[in-house]
Amino acid sequence: MILITGATGNVGRIVVERLAAEGHDVQALSRRPSQTEWPFGVQAVEGDLSDAASLGPALEGVESVYLFPAPGLGADFVAAAEAAGVRHVVLLSSGAVDDDLDVQDGPIATRHFEIEHLLRASGLRWTFLRADTFAVNSLPWGYQTKNGDEIRGAYAEAAAPVVHEADIADAAVAALTTEGHDGKAYRITGPELLTHADQARILGEVLGRPIRYVEIDVEQVRRQMGAFVPAPILADILKFWERSLEHPHAVSPDVETLTGHKARDFRSWVEEHADAF
Ligand SMILES: NC(=O)c1ccc[n+]([C@@H]2O[C@H](COP(=O)([O-])OP(=O)(O)OC[C@H]3O[C@@H](n4cnc5c(N)ncnc54)[C@H](OP(=O)(O)O)[C@@H]3O)[C@@H](O)[C@H]2O)c1
């Protein structure tokens, strides 16, 4: 049986749908499983990844896990998974993790690196999906595009190989259901490097309006986003954007290597989510 954690999330929910549609024996973890309508054939189970003692029923009979890197997830989870007989973990990690650094830069890379380290040091087989900037991160822009043709934010020229969540899910399904992925860290990116300004332009092209990204002062952004994002995480994101002006993350071929299909572009994501903008 395959356990999908983060199963109500952007990626996990697609992983559940795909595996169920392919006829795999799937169990979905949620802290509140009764609040979700699950695909036919999916068994939902309650548990909290930050509380390994709550995961007994969820881990019973499980061979493979798609692991969402929940806050508070740690060595207790790994010990519980090993004790339950889990063999393989496919971790949703982050493209922020840098193998060249012993000490990771910032809380986002550090948190994912620590979970990777726990898995490397365990007796479990592991595969890491180091995902880059999710397309869904642009969803909050919908508030601005519903009220005008401008998206106001930091660093118009900050660039990332923005990735469609369905490609991360497809990569997870491949890593969970086919051989040859043990001990590998894949870089899961979209097919092209896009700046914030590029993303706004593509949004406008799909919506048929001249949407443009208007760069505003970083301190103003810090104040505005600070209402929603914890300060250390926000500082990390702003630093990532600033660094990407000179040193953006590269596009990786790993989605196609894993899934056999080309990575979906941002335009296709916008077409699927146009109502939100
Ligand atoms: N956004 C990016 O650009 C980016 C880039 C690289 C990596 N990432 C990684 O991807 C993650 C986001 O993935 P996503 O968008 O698929 O997730 P998501 O939409 O944020 O949802 C994750 C799900 O995990 C469940 N969850 C949260 N805490 C839990 C806990 N303690 N125990 C059990 N379940 C818990 C929640 O479900 P229930 O409420 O049903 O329990 C939630 O629906 C980030 O947190 C980061 O680690 C993100």
Side-chain angles (χ1 to χ4, degrees):
M1 177 154 48
I2 305 174
L3 176 69
I4 308 304
T5 69
T8 58
N10 295 306
V11 179
R13 122 168 72 87
I14 309 176
V15 179
V16 171
E17 283 166 12
R18 297 271 202 272
L19 290 173
E22 287 180 14
H24 293 280
D25 197 3
V26 182
Q27 184 151 279
L29 183 86
S30 166
R31 289 163 301 176
R32 289 169 289 272
S34 63
Q35 290 182 12
T36 297
E37 206 166 302
W38 300 98
F40 181 75
V42 172
Q43 202 175 316
V45 60
E46 183 174 337
D48 187 326
L49 289 166
S50 66
D51 174 14
S54 74
L55 297 173
L59 288 168
E60 215 178 292
V62 167
E63 283 180 20
S64 310
V65 177
Y66 163 78
L67 186 58
F68 167 78
L73 175 85
D76 289 356
F77 167 81
V78 174
E82 285 186 299
V86 171
R87 296 218 282 267
H88 184 208
V89 173
V90 174
L91 173 72
L92 174 59
S93 187
S94 166
V97 173
D98 185 341
D99 285 324
D100 293 335
L101 299 177
D102 290 331
V103 178
Q104 296 296 307
D105 188 10
I108 295 174
T110 300
R111 182 165 70 84
H112 291 92
F113 180 79
E114 283 171 357
I115 302 173
E116 288 190 0
H117 181 73
L118 285 171
L119 291 170
R120 282 182 199 274
S122 76
L124 297 163
R125 290 156 42 211
W126 53 264
T127 306
F128 302 151
L129 302 178
R130 291 180 175 164
D132 220 284
T133 302
F134 290 12
V136 75
N137 293 359
S138 63
L139 218 46
W141 292 346
Y143 178 75
Q144 299 189 61
T145 56
K146 282 186 172 172
N147 290 290
D149 287 345
E150 286 185 352
I151 297 167
R152 299 171 70 79
Y155 300 117
E157 295 306 316
V162 177
V163 61
H164 192 308
E165 295 76 42
D167 282 335
I168 310 172
D170 286 350
V173 168
L176 287 162
T177 60
T178 61
E179 295 298 320
H181 309 298
D182 292 1
K184 296 203 173 148
Y186 292 104
R187 292 194 51 250
I188 307 300
T189 75
E192 58 192 335
L193 201 56
L194 295 175
T195 64
H196 285 150
D198 291 332
Q199 288 180 263
R201 174 183 45 76
I202 292 167
L203 261 166
E205 286 167 6
V206 173
L207 298 177
R209 288 157 45 199
I211 293 180
R212 59 188 198 103
Y213 193 95
V214 178
E215 180 165 321
I216 58 174
D217 182 65
V218 172
E219 288 316 310
Q220 193 181 337
V221 173
R222 208 185 292 276
R223 282 195 298 279
Q224 287 169 356
M225 286 181 70
F228 312 100
V229 185
I233 301 294
L234 179 53
D236 214 11
I237 293 169
L238 291 171
K239 195 158 90 180
F240 169 70
W241 286 343
E242 184 182 18
R243 199 183 295 132
S244 79
L245 299 172
E246 295 288 328
H247 305 287
H249 287 177
V251 169
S252 156
D254 289 354
V255 164
E256 189 165 354
T257 305
L258 269 161
T259 67
H261 66 69
K262 292 203 179 307
R264 296 165 172 87
D265 61 13
F266 183 66
R267 184 179 300 273
S268 69
W269 185 92
V270 175
E271 284 164 355
E272 291 161 26
H273 296 82
D275 287 355
F277 296 93

PDB file of all heavy atoms in Angstrom, residues 56-93:
ATOM      1  N   GLY A  56       0.119   5.475  13.933  1.00  0.00           N
ATOM      2  CA  GLY A  56       0.067   4.005  13.946  1.00  0.00           C
ATOM      3  C   GLY A  56      -0.844   3.443  12.867  1.00  0.00           C
ATOM      4  O   GLY A  56      -0.385   2.708  11.963  1.00  0.00           O
ATOM      5  N   PRO A  57      -2.157   3.771  12.889  1.00  0.00           N
ATOM      6  CA  PRO A  57      -3.069   3.192  11.884  1.00  0.00           C
ATOM      7  C   PRO A  57      -2.684   3.599  10.463  1.00  0.00           C
ATOM      8  O   PRO A  57      -2.838   2.810   9.527  1.00  0.00           O
ATOM      9  CB  PRO A  57      -4.432   3.802  12.262  1.00  0.00           C
ATOM     10  CG  PRO A  57      -4.287   4.271  13.669  1.00  0.00           C
ATOM     11  CD  PRO A  57      -2.847   4.610  13.868  1.00  0.00           C
ATOM     12  N   ALA A  58      -2.172   4.815  10.294  1.00  0.00           N
ATOM     13  CA  ALA A  58      -1.848   5.292   8.941  1.00  0.00           C
ATOM     14  C   ALA A  58      -0.688   4.515   8.326  1.00  0.00           C
ATOM     15  O   ALA A  58      -0.642   4.313   7.115  1.00  0.00           O
ATOM     16  CB  ALA A  58      -1.500   6.777   8.985  1.00  0.00           C
ATOM     17  N   LEU A  59       0.256   4.053   9.168  1.00  0.00           N
ATOM     18  CA  LEU A  59       1.461   3.406   8.640  1.00  0.00           C
ATOM     19  C   LEU A  59       1.322   1.883   8.509  1.00  0.00           C
ATOM     20  O   LEU A  59       2.169   1.235   7.885  1.00  0.00           O
ATOM     21  CB  LEU A  59       2.661   3.729   9.539  1.00  0.00           C
ATOM     22  CG  LEU A  59       3.169   5.179   9.456  1.00  0.00           C
ATOM     23  CD1 LEU A  59       4.159   5.478  10.576  1.00  0.00           C
ATOM     24  CD2 LEU A  59       3.833   5.442   8.097  1.00  0.00           C
ATOM     25  N   GLU A  60       0.249   1.342   9.051  1.00  0.00           N
ATOM     26  CA  GLU A  60       0.069  -0.113   9.040  1.00  0.00           C
ATOM     27  C   GLU A  60      -0.054  -0.650   7.610  1.00  0.00           C
ATOM     28  O   GLU A  60      -0.889  -0.167   6.836  1.00  0.00           O
ATOM     29  CB  GLU A  60      -1.215  -0.441   9.814  1.00  0.00           C
ATOM     30  CG  GLU A  60      -1.137  -1.737  10.588  1.00  0.00           C
ATOM     31  CD  GLU A  60      -2.429  -1.940  11.361  1.00  0.00           C
ATOM     32  OE1 GLU A  60      -2.673  -1.164  12.301  1.00  0.00           O
ATOM     33  OE2 GLU A  60      -3.189  -2.847  10.995  1.00  0.00           O
ATOM     34  N   GLY A  61       0.781  -1.599   7.277  1.00  0.00           N
ATOM     35  CA  GLY A  61       0.693  -2.230   5.952  1.00  0.00           C
ATOM     36  C   GLY A  61       1.223  -1.375   4.811  1.00  0.00           C
ATOM     37  O   GLY A  61       1.032  -1.714   3.643  1.00  0.00           O
ATOM     38  N   VAL A  62       1.898  -0.264   5.140  1.00  0.00           N
ATOM     39  CA  VAL A  62       2.361   0.671   4.100  1.00  0.00           C
ATOM     40  C   VAL A  62       3.777   0.298   3.638  1.00  0.00           C
ATOM     41  O   VAL A  62       4.658   0.061   4.451  1.00  0.00           O
ATOM     42  CB  VAL A  62       2.343   2.119   4.646  1.00  0.00           C
ATOM     43  CG1 VAL A  62       3.095   3.069   3.721  1.00  0.00           C
ATOM     44  CG2 VAL A  62       0.910   2.578   4.849  1.00  0.00           C
ATOM     45  N   GLU A  63       3.972   0.263   2.320  1.00  0.00           N
ATOM     46  CA  GLU A  63       5.311  -0.019   1.772  1.00  0.00           C
ATOM     47  C   GLU A  63       6.024   1.261   1.345  1.00  0.00           C
ATOM     48  O   GLU A  63       7.223   1.395   1.487  1.00  0.00           O
ATOM     49  CB  GLU A  63       5.188  -0.928   0.554  1.00  0.00           C
ATOM     50  CG  GLU A  63       4.942  -2.361   0.924  1.00  0.00           C
ATOM     51  CD  GLU A  63       4.823  -3.249  -0.296  1.00  0.00           C
ATOM     52  OE1 GLU A  63       5.283  -2.866  -1.383  1.00  0.00           O
ATOM     53  OE2 GLU A  63       4.245  -4.327  -0.138  1.00  0.00           O
ATOM     54  N   SER A  64       5.235   2.201   0.785  1.00  0.00           N
ATOM     55  CA  SER A  64       5.846   3.435   0.269  1.00  0.00           C
ATOM     56  C   SER A  64       5.057   4.645   0.752  1.00  0.00           C
ATOM     57  O   SER A  64       3.838   4.567   0.918  1.00  0.00           O
ATOM     58  CB  SER A  64       5.825   3.467  -1.262  1.00  0.00           C
ATOM     59  OG  SER A  64       6.336   2.286  -1.777  1.00  0.00           O
ATOM     60  N   VAL A  65       5.773   5.753   0.938  1.00  0.00           N
ATOM     61  CA  VAL A  65       5.136   6.979   1.424  1.00  0.00           C
ATOM     62  C   VAL A  65       5.521   8.147   0.523  1.00  0.00           C
ATOM     63  O   VAL A  65       6.705   8.322   0.192  1.00  0.00           O
ATOM     64  CB  VAL A  65       5.595   7.318   2.868  1.00  0.00           C
ATOM     65  CG1 VAL A  65       4.994   8.636   3.341  1.00  0.00           C
ATOM     66  CG2 VAL A  65       5.241   6.199   3.839  1.00  0.00           C
ATOM     67  N   TYR A  66       4.513   8.942   0.120  1.00  0.00           N
ATOM     68  CA  TYR A  66       4.786  10.274  -0.425  1.00  0.00           C
ATOM     69  C   TYR A  66       4.771  11.194   0.790  1.00  0.00           C
ATOM     70  O   TYR A  66       3.745  11.320   1.464  1.00  0.00           O
ATOM     71  CB  TYR A  66       3.719  10.696  -1.432  1.00  0.00           C
ATOM     72  CG  TYR A  66       3.727  12.190  -1.701  1.00  0.00           C
ATOM     73  CD1 TYR A  66       4.684  12.756  -2.545  1.00  0.00           C
ATOM     74  CD2 TYR A  66       2.807  13.035  -1.079  1.00  0.00           C
ATOM     75  CE1 TYR A  66       4.710  14.122  -2.759  1.00  0.00           C
ATOM     76  CE2 TYR A  66       2.832  14.409  -1.303  1.00  0.00           C
ATOM     77  CZ  TYR A  66       3.786  14.939  -2.136  1.00  0.00           C
ATOM     78  OH  TYR A  66       3.823  16.297  -2.352  1.00  0.00           O
ATOM     79  N   LEU A  67       5.908  11.820   1.075  1.00  0.00           N
ATOM     80  CA  LEU A  67       6.037  12.556   2.335  1.00  0.00           C
ATOM     81  C   LEU A  67       6.015  14.062   2.123  1.00  0.00           C
ATOM     82  O   LEU A  67       6.902  14.624   1.455  1.00  0.00           O
ATOM     83  CB  LEU A  67       7.348  12.144   3.025  1.00  0.00           C
ATOM     84  CG  LEU A  67       7.574  12.711   4.429  1.00  0.00           C
ATOM     85  CD1 LEU A  67       6.436  12.317   5.382  1.00  0.00           C
ATOM     86  CD2 LEU A  67       8.910  12.214   4.991  1.00  0.00           C
ATOM     87  N   PHE A  68       4.985  14.697   2.675  1.00  0.00           N
ATOM     88  CA  PHE A  68       4.902  16.159   2.710  1.00  0.00           C
ATOM     89  C   PHE A  68       5.754  16.624   3.896  1.00  0.00           C
ATOM     90  O   PHE A  68       5.582  16.129   5.017  1.00  0.00           O
ATOM     91  CB  PHE A  68       3.428  16.583   2.889  1.00  0.00           C
ATOM     92  CG  PHE A  68       3.255  18.025   3.240  1.00  0.00           C
ATOM     93  CD1 PHE A  68       3.367  19.006   2.261  1.00  0.00           C
ATOM     94  CD2 PHE A  68       3.008  18.429   4.542  1.00  0.00           C
ATOM     95  CE1 PHE A  68       3.230  20.349   2.573  1.00  0.00           C
ATOM     96  CE2 PHE A  68       2.869  19.768   4.863  1.00  0.00           C
ATOM     97  CZ  PHE A  68       2.974  20.721   3.877  1.00  0.00           C
ATOM     98  N   PRO A  69       6.659  17.594   3.689  1.00  0.00           N
ATOM     99  CA  PRO A  69       7.591  17.980   4.768  1.00  0.00           C
ATOM    100  C   PRO A  69       6.920  18.900   5.782  1.00  0.00           C
ATOM    101  O   PRO A  69       7.223  20.088   5.861  1.00  0.00           O
ATOM    102  CB  PRO A  69       8.710  18.685   3.994  1.00  0.00           C
ATOM    103  CG  PRO A  69       8.024  19.279   2.805  1.00  0.00           C
ATOM    104  CD  PRO A  69       6.908  18.345   2.434  1.00  0.00           C
ATOM    105  N   ALA A  70       5.999  18.350   6.524  1.00  0.00           N
ATOM    106  CA  ALA A  70       5.196  19.153   7.455  1.00  0.00           C
ATOM    107  C   ALA A  70       6.070  19.773   8.539  1.00  0.00           C
ATOM    108  O   ALA A  70       7.037  19.149   8.991  1.00  0.00           O
ATOM    109  CB  ALA A  70       4.133  18.279   8.098  1.00  0.00           C
ATOM    110  N   PRO A  71       5.724  20.971   8.967  1.00  0.00           N
ATOM    111  CA  PRO A  71       6.419  21.540  10.124  1.00  0.00           C
ATOM    112  C   PRO A  71       6.293  20.566  11.300  1.00  0.00           C
ATOM    113  O   PRO A  71       5.229  19.996  11.515  1.00  0.00           O
ATOM    114  CB  PRO A  71       5.630  22.828  10.409  1.00  0.00           C
ATOM    115  CG  PRO A  71       4.943  23.157   9.122  1.00  0.00           C
ATOM    116  CD  PRO A  71       4.671  21.851   8.442  1.00  0.00           C
ATOM    117  N   GLY A  72       7.401  20.360  12.011  1.00  0.00           N
ATOM    118  CA  GLY A  72       7.352  19.467  13.178  1.00  0.00           C
ATOM    119  C   GLY A  72       7.638  18.012  12.833  1.00  0.00           C
ATOM    120  O   GLY A  72       7.788  17.173  13.715  1.00  0.00           O
ATOM    121  N   LEU A  73       7.716  17.695  11.542  1.00  0.00           N
ATOM    122  CA  LEU A  73       8.063  16.330  11.128  1.00  0.00           C
ATOM    123  C   LEU A  73       9.532  16.092  11.470  1.00  0.00           C
ATOM    124  O   LEU A  73      10.373  16.929  11.155  1.00  0.00           O
ATOM    125  CB  LEU A  73       7.874  16.206   9.611  1.00  0.00           C
ATOM    126  CG  LEU A  73       8.298  14.888   8.981  1.00  0.00           C
ATOM    127  CD1 LEU A  73       7.187  13.877   9.088  1.00  0.00           C
ATOM    128  CD2 LEU A  73       8.669  15.087   7.529  1.00  0.00           C
ATOM    129  N   GLY A  74       9.839  14.952  12.102  1.00  0.00           N
ATOM    130  CA  GLY A  74      11.234  14.753  12.483  1.00  0.00           C
ATOM    131  C   GLY A  74      11.594  13.297  12.649  1.00  0.00           C
ATOM    132  O   GLY A  74      10.983  12.408  12.039  1.00  0.00           O
ATOM    133  N   ALA A  75      12.595  13.061  13.517  1.00  0.00           N
ATOM    134  CA  ALA A  75      13.144  11.708  13.696  1.00  0.00           C
ATOM    135  C   ALA A  75      12.082  10.725  14.163  1.00  0.00           C
ATOM    136  O   ALA A  75      12.145   9.534  13.825  1.00  0.00           O
ATOM    137  CB  ALA A  75      14.290  11.762  14.703  1.00  0.00           C
ATOM    138  N   ASP A  76      11.091  11.192  14.924  1.00  0.00           N
ATOM    139  CA  ASP A  76      10.032  10.292  15.413  1.00  0.00           C
ATOM    140  C   ASP A  76       9.269   9.680  14.250  1.00  0.00           C
ATOM    141  O   ASP A  76       8.885   8.515  14.294  1.00  0.00           O
ATOM    142  CB  ASP A  76       9.008  11.060  16.276  1.00  0.00           C
ATOM    143  CG  ASP A  76       9.608  11.450  17.602  1.00  0.00           C
ATOM    144  OD1 ASP A  76      10.767  11.062  17.850  1.00  0.00           O
ATOM    145  OD2 ASP A  76       8.911  12.137  18.375  1.00  0.00           O
ATOM    146  N   PHE A  77       9.038  10.493  13.222  1.00  0.00           N
ATOM    147  CA  PHE A  77       8.316   9.968  12.059  1.00  0.00           C
ATOM    148  C   PHE A  77       9.144   8.867  11.395  1.00  0.00           C
ATOM    149  O   PHE A  77       8.633   7.802  11.055  1.00  0.00           O
ATOM    150  CB  PHE A  77       8.004  11.064  11.030  1.00  0.00           C
ATOM    151  CG  PHE A  77       7.549  10.477   9.719  1.00  0.00           C
ATOM    152  CD1 PHE A  77       6.230  10.074   9.566  1.00  0.00           C
ATOM    153  CD2 PHE A  77       8.450  10.246   8.687  1.00  0.00           C
ATOM    154  CE1 PHE A  77       5.816   9.462   8.380  1.00  0.00           C
ATOM    155  CE2 PHE A  77       8.042   9.638   7.508  1.00  0.00           C
ATOM    156  CZ  PHE A  77       6.726   9.245   7.356  1.00  0.00           C
ATOM    157  N   VAL A  78      10.433   9.142  11.195  1.00  0.00           N
ATOM    158  CA  VAL A  78      11.299   8.171  10.517  1.00  0.00           C
ATOM    159  C   VAL A  78      11.334   6.871  11.311  1.00  0.00           C
ATOM    160  O   VAL A  78      11.211   5.766  10.745  1.00  0.00           O
ATOM    161  CB  VAL A  78      12.720   8.747  10.318  1.00  0.00           C
ATOM    162  CG1 VAL A  78      13.659   7.702   9.749  1.00  0.00           C
ATOM    163  CG2 VAL A  78      12.664   9.965   9.390  1.00  0.00           C
ATOM    164  N   ALA A  79      11.456   6.970  12.646  1.00  0.00           N
ATOM    165  CA  ALA A  79      11.496   5.767  13.489  1.00  0.00           C
ATOM    166  C   ALA A  79      10.172   5.003  13.374  1.00  0.00           C
ATOM    167  O   ALA A  79      10.168   3.766  13.259  1.00  0.00           O
ATOM    168  CB  ALA A  79      11.765   6.167  14.941  1.00  0.00           C
ATOM    169  N   ALA A  80       9.060   5.730  13.382  1.00  0.00           N
ATOM    170  CA  ALA A  80       7.747   5.071  13.295  1.00  0.00           C
ATOM    171  C   ALA A  80       7.592   4.381  11.939  1.00  0.00           C
ATOM    172  O   ALA A  80       7.063   3.264  11.851  1.00  0.00           O
ATOM    173  CB  ALA A  80       6.629   6.096  13.505  1.00  0.00           C
ATOM    174  N   ALA A  81       8.061   5.033  10.874  1.00  0.00           N
ATOM    175  CA  ALA A  81       7.949   4.442   9.540  1.00  0.00           C
ATOM    176  C   ALA A  81       8.803   3.169   9.454  1.00  0.00           C
ATOM    177  O   ALA A  81       8.344   2.147   8.932  1.00  0.00           O
ATOM    178  CB  ALA A  81       8.390   5.459   8.483  1.00  0.00           C
ATOM    179  N   GLU A  82      10.018   3.231   9.986  1.00  0.00           N
ATOM    180  CA  GLU A  82      10.884   2.045   9.960  1.00  0.00           C
ATOM    181  C   GLU A  82      10.261   0.907  10.757  1.00  0.00           C
ATOM    182  O   GLU A  82      10.224  -0.234  10.305  1.00  0.00           O
ATOM    183  CB  GLU A  82      12.261   2.391  10.531  1.00  0.00           C
ATOM    184  CG  GLU A  82      13.110   3.198   9.558  1.00  0.00           C
ATOM    185  CD  GLU A  82      14.518   3.410  10.082  1.00  0.00           C
ATOM    186  OE1 GLU A  82      14.676   4.025  11.158  1.00  0.00           O
ATOM    187  OE2 GLU A  82      15.460   2.950   9.412  1.00  0.00           O
ATOM    188  N   ALA A  83       9.744   1.253  11.952  1.00  0.00           N
ATOM    189  CA  ALA A  83       9.151   0.222  12.819  1.00  0.00           C
ATOM    190  C   ALA A  83       7.933  -0.410  12.151  1.00  0.00           C
ATOM    191  O   ALA A  83       7.657  -1.597  12.342  1.00  0.00           O
ATOM    192  CB  ALA A  83       8.761   0.839  14.168  1.00  0.00           C
ATOM    193  N   ALA A  84       7.212   0.367  11.342  1.00  0.00           N
ATOM    194  CA  ALA A  84       5.999  -0.152  10.698  1.00  0.00           C
ATOM    195  C   ALA A  84       6.318  -0.963   9.440  1.00  0.00           C
ATOM    196  O   ALA A  84       5.416  -1.549   8.845  1.00  0.00           O
ATOM    197  CB  ALA A  84       5.064   1.002  10.349  1.00  0.00           C
ATOM    198  N   GLY A  85       7.602  -0.967   9.026  1.00  0.00           N
ATOM    199  CA  GLY A  85       7.978  -1.770   7.859  1.00  0.00           C
ATOM    200  C   GLY A  85       7.923  -1.020   6.543  1.00  0.00           C
ATOM    201  O   GLY A  85       7.967  -1.638   5.470  1.00  0.00           O
ATOM    202  N   VAL A  86       7.831   0.325   6.595  1.00  0.00           N
ATOM    203  CA  VAL A  86       7.869   1.121   5.358  1.00  0.00           C
ATOM    204  C   VAL A  86       9.225   0.902   4.685  1.00  0.00           C
ATOM    205  O   VAL A  86      10.250   0.803   5.369  1.00  0.00           O
ATOM    206  CB  VAL A  86       7.673   2.630   5.677  1.00  0.00           C
ATOM    207  CG1 VAL A  86       7.941   3.491   4.438  1.00  0.00           C
ATOM    208  CG2 VAL A  86       6.266   2.883   6.204  1.00  0.00           C
ATOM    209  N   ARG A  87       9.212   0.814   3.351  1.00  0.00           N
ATOM    210  CA  ARG A  87      10.475   0.564   2.657  1.00  0.00           C
ATOM    211  C   ARG A  87      10.993   1.790   1.904  1.00  0.00           C
ATOM    212  O   ARG A  87      12.183   2.033   1.834  1.00  0.00           O
ATOM    213  CB  ARG A  87      10.288  -0.609   1.691  1.00  0.00           C
ATOM    214  CG  ARG A  87       9.972  -1.905   2.431  1.00  0.00           C
ATOM    215  CD  ARG A  87      10.650  -3.075   1.778  1.00  0.00           C
ATOM    216  NE  ARG A  87       9.921  -3.485   0.583  1.00  0.00           N
ATOM    217  CZ  ARG A  87       8.973  -4.431   0.596  1.00  0.00           C
ATOM    218  NH1 ARG A  87       8.660  -5.032   1.717  1.00  0.00           N
ATOM    219  NH2 ARG A  87       8.364  -4.765  -0.515  1.00  0.00           N
ATOM    220  N   HIS A  88      10.093   2.596   1.328  1.00  0.00           N
ATOM    221  CA  HIS A  88      10.552   3.680   0.434  1.00  0.00           C
ATOM    222  C   HIS A  88       9.792   4.972   0.739  1.00  0.00           C
ATOM    223  O   HIS A  88       8.568   4.947   0.879  1.00  0.00           O
ATOM    224  CB  HIS A  88      10.304   3.261  -1.020  1.00  0.00           C
ATOM    225  CG  HIS A  88      10.810   4.227  -2.040  1.00  0.00           C
ATOM    226  ND1 HIS A  88      10.243   4.356  -3.283  1.00  0.00           N
ATOM    227  CD2 HIS A  88      11.838   5.128  -2.028  1.00  0.00           C
ATOM    228  CE1 HIS A  88      10.902   5.269  -3.988  1.00  0.00           C
ATOM    229  NE2 HIS A  88      11.872   5.753  -3.246  1.00  0.00           N
ATOM    230  N   VAL A  89      10.515   6.074   0.843  1.00  0.00           N
ATOM    231  CA  VAL A  89       9.887   7.382   1.062  1.00  0.00           C
ATOM    232  C   VAL A  89      10.262   8.307  -0.088  1.00  0.00           C
ATOM    233  O   VAL A  89      11.441   8.460  -0.423  1.00  0.00           O
ATOM    234  CB  VAL A  89      10.356   8.005   2.392  1.00  0.00           C
ATOM    235  CG1 VAL A  89       9.835   9.436   2.524  1.00  0.00           C
ATOM    236  CG2 VAL A  89       9.879   7.175   3.579  1.00  0.00           C
ATOM    237  N   VAL A  90       9.245   8.911  -0.702  1.00  0.00           N
ATOM    238  CA  VAL A  90       9.458   9.937  -1.734  1.00  0.00           C
ATOM    239  C   VAL A  90       9.133  11.272  -1.081  1.00  0.00           C
ATOM    240  O   VAL A  90       7.981  11.544  -0.730  1.00  0.00           O
ATOM    241  CB  VAL A  90       8.557   9.677  -2.960  1.00  0.00           C
ATOM    242  CG1 VAL A  90       8.665  10.826  -3.952  1.00  0.00           C
ATOM    243  CG2 VAL A  90       8.941   8.354  -3.615  1.00  0.00           C
ATOM    244  N   LEU A  91      10.159  12.069  -0.879  1.00  0.00           N
ATOM    245  CA  LEU A  91      10.003  13.322  -0.130  1.00  0.00           C
ATOM    246  C   LEU A  91       9.796  14.515  -1.048  1.00  0.00           C
ATOM    247  O   LEU A  91      10.581  14.716  -1.993  1.00  0.00           O
ATOM    248  CB  LEU A  91      11.264  13.562   0.722  1.00  0.00           C
ATOM    249  CG  LEU A  91      11.335  14.931   1.437  1.00  0.00           C
ATOM    250  CD1 LEU A  91      10.329  14.990   2.589  1.00  0.00           C
ATOM    251  CD2 LEU A  91      12.757  15.195   1.960  1.00  0.00           C
ATOM    252  N   LEU A  92       8.766  15.300  -0.768  1.00  0.00           N
ATOM    253  CA  LEU A  92       8.631  16.612  -1.410  1.00  0.00           C
ATOM    254  C   LEU A  92       9.633  17.533  -0.725  1.00  0.00           C
ATOM    255  O   LEU A  92       9.430  17.934   0.421  1.00  0.00           O
ATOM    256  CB  LEU A  92       7.212  17.154  -1.244  1.00  0.00           C
ATOM    257  CG  LEU A  92       6.998  18.592  -1.746  1.00  0.00           C
ATOM    258  CD1 LEU A  92       7.316  18.729  -3.224  1.00  0.00           C
ATOM    259  CD2 LEU A  92       5.569  19.040  -1.478  1.00  0.00           C
ATOM    260  N   SER A  93      10.746  17.830  -1.426  1.00  0.00           N
ATOM    261  CA  SER A  93      11.764  18.706  -0.854  1.00  0.00           C
ATOM    262  C   SER A  93      11.775  20.016  -1.641  1.00  0.00           C
ATOM    263  O   SER A  93      10.817  20.326  -2.348  1.00  0.00           O
ATOM    264  CB  SER A  93      13.121  18.012  -0.858  1.00  0.00           C
ATOM    265  OG  SER A  93      14.074  18.789  -0.161  1.00  0.00           O
TER     266      SER A  93
END
